[in-house]
Amino acid sequence: MAEKITVNNGILNVPDHPIIPLIEGDGVGVDITPVMTTVVDAAVAKASGGKKKIEWKPILAGEKAIAKTNELLPQESIDAIQEYVVSIKGPLTTPVGGGFRSLNVTLRQVLDLYACVRPVKWYPGIPNPMKQPEKLNVKIFRENTEDVYAGIEWDAGSAEANKLIEFVASMGKKIRPNSAVGIKPISEFGSKRIVRAAIHNAMKYGLSKVTLVHKGNIMKFTEGGFRKWGYEAAKEFSNTVTEEEVAKGASAEGKIIVNDRIADSMFQQLLLRPDEYQVLATMNLNGDYLSDAAAAQTGGLGIAPGANINYQTGVALFEATHGTAPKYAGQDKVNPGSLLLSAVMMLRYMDWKTAADLVENAFQKTIDQKIVTYDLSRQMEGAQEVRCSEFGDAIIRNMD
Ligand code: NAP
């Protein structure tokens, strides 16, 4: 019988037949999502000898939700993501125009999914712009609920913006009249919990470096605060040492080295010395830019996986990181890699490691055979271009 995943003190209890809410997604969601569930079902059955099976529970969001309920994000769907702990989603359309916030941003904030986790590594054979793409292998922990993404902003000329401009003037700071204004909140609480999550992850996977990324040289209190609180959070762990302490002679033996980099320099570092970095902890906006830039370096923009997690409640929403690519919707054409590799992250999060490895290894084997969808085939010599569903079928065959 299918059961709920439960959480006890942040530890997941995953039954053999867990119920997992599934948002198919808009646009190409109809293409990639069934491929993902088919591949995952095959891997789980194979890994467990048929003992385990996921019960997918379709839930509504985006265009399909509007059509059925007249709401973009029904409360019922939010409740299901909370209640069933682990969920996965395809891409969702963000309607353009006033009044709409991105559904993705809304989901992250409403459910307090504070850690946006984006592992970025190169899969051999994937076309990419770098000479040595294998040197980049990082996990980006991006804070998801604060920063200029918090949605506290007002249009130029609005009563609120003008009031804020006046208030700021009363504190001796000048904002040009008729400016749009936004607020950038960065808290000690938010900074410390994302840095703790990054350090815990480094510990879990035996990694030895965590880098705090910030622009604290310019934004001294917000981004500078993130750096300061990040180091304070690192001090809570007995097995961390700072780069500065190591430079002064402290031993780094068996410890996680914590350092920090100015955000603009971090972009250079990832290009010039990528193998010196393992886990990055960032605020919201820096992390947004950095994770896409890093994914591009490995040729992985179309296949980059992602997750939004609250490590205290255990609630986690795994997602395709690309958009709805509406011009390809329903054509069985696009690459399901991003959602598939997000499902691999999900299986690891559930501690279903064998199934996760089966999918990831078969994915690599399929790329090795140069069986790829249109996006990769147009950049690969001698590739066999297949449809989205055929790519999934090839992955299942390669699990043998
Ligand atoms: P997009 O949907 O990511 O598509 C841009 C281009 O990226 C596509 O035309 C295609 O390139 C390529 N692409 C995207 N997904 C692919 C896949 N699975 N396989 C192969 N190629 C893929 O970006 P967009 O056109 O800017 O955004 C469309 C809608 O998606 C918007 O409403 C946006 O708000 C939304 N969006 C949602 C999410 C999310 O839900 N996480 C994220 C980003 C955007 P070619 O044309 O070169 O083939």
Side-chain angles (χ1 to χ4, degrees), residues 191-263:
S191 302
K192 284 188 169 172
R193 73 174 173 172
I194 191 72
V195 173
R196 287 186 197 116
I199 294 173
H200 275 298
N201 195 271
M203 279 160 57
K204 180 171 175 190
Y205 291 99
L207 301 170
S208 59
K209 258 198 190 158
V210 174
T211 303
L212 314 174
V213 182
H214 62 90
K215 193 79 185 150
N217 53 333
I218 305 296
M219 290 164 268
K220 304 215 182 279
F221 301 117
T222 49
E223 306 237 347
F226 178 83
R227 174 184 180 277
K228 180 179 85 164
W229 294 316
Y231 276 120
E232 284 175 10
K235 277 275 158 272
E236 298 166 5
F237 295 79
S238 58
N239 59 341
T240 61
V241 61
T242 65
E243 191 174 61
E244 209 182 330
E245 288 163 345
V246 175
K248 286 181 186 156
S251 165
E253 186 71 36
K255 298 211 163 175
I256 295 171
I257 300 174
V258 179
N259 59 9
D260 71 281
R261 294 288 180 266
I262 304 283

Side-chain angles (χ1 to χ4, degrees), residues 91-94 104 320 322-325 327-328 334-335 374-375 378:
L92 294 171
T93 307
T94 297
N104 300 307
H322 57 73
T324 58
K327 67 181 174 186
Y328 296 123
V334 297
N335 192 335
Y374 85 96
D375 51 316
R378 66 189 171 187

Side-chain angles (χ1 to χ4, degrees), residues 115-167:
C116 179
V117 186
R118 296 274 297 265
V120 183
K121 70 174 182 183
W122 181 60
Y123 288 89
I126 297 282
N128 73 90
M130 305 302 289
K131 282 188 180 153
Q132 294 173 297
E134 68 284 358
K135 284 194 168 185
L136 180 64
N137 186 350
V138 293
K139 278 191 208 165
I140 300 175
F141 278 73
R142 161 188 166 197
E143 207 289 326
N144 242 348
T145 63
E146 302 193 332
D147 207 345
V148 282
Y149 269 68
I152 311 172
E153 61 167 0
W154 291 279
D155 202 358
S158 65
E160 293 90 346
N162 290 340
K163 201 167 165 186
L164 198 58
I165 291 170
E166 262 174 48
F167 178 62

Side-chain angles (χ1 to χ4, degrees), residues 41-56:
D41 286 347
V44 167
K46 193 171 173 65
S48 67
K51 190 169 155 257
K52 297 182 180 181
K53 185 175 179 359
I54 292 172
E55 172 93 7
W56 303 102

Side-chain angles (χ1 to χ4, degrees), residues 264-283:
D264 43 315
S265 151
M266 193 65 235
F267 280 87
Q268 299 181 7
Q269 294 281 304
L270 281 191
L271 284 167
L272 300 173
R273 295 144 77 147
D275 47 353
E276 291 181 16
Y277 297 91
Q278 295 179 340
V279 180
L280 309 181
T282 79
M283 280 156 283

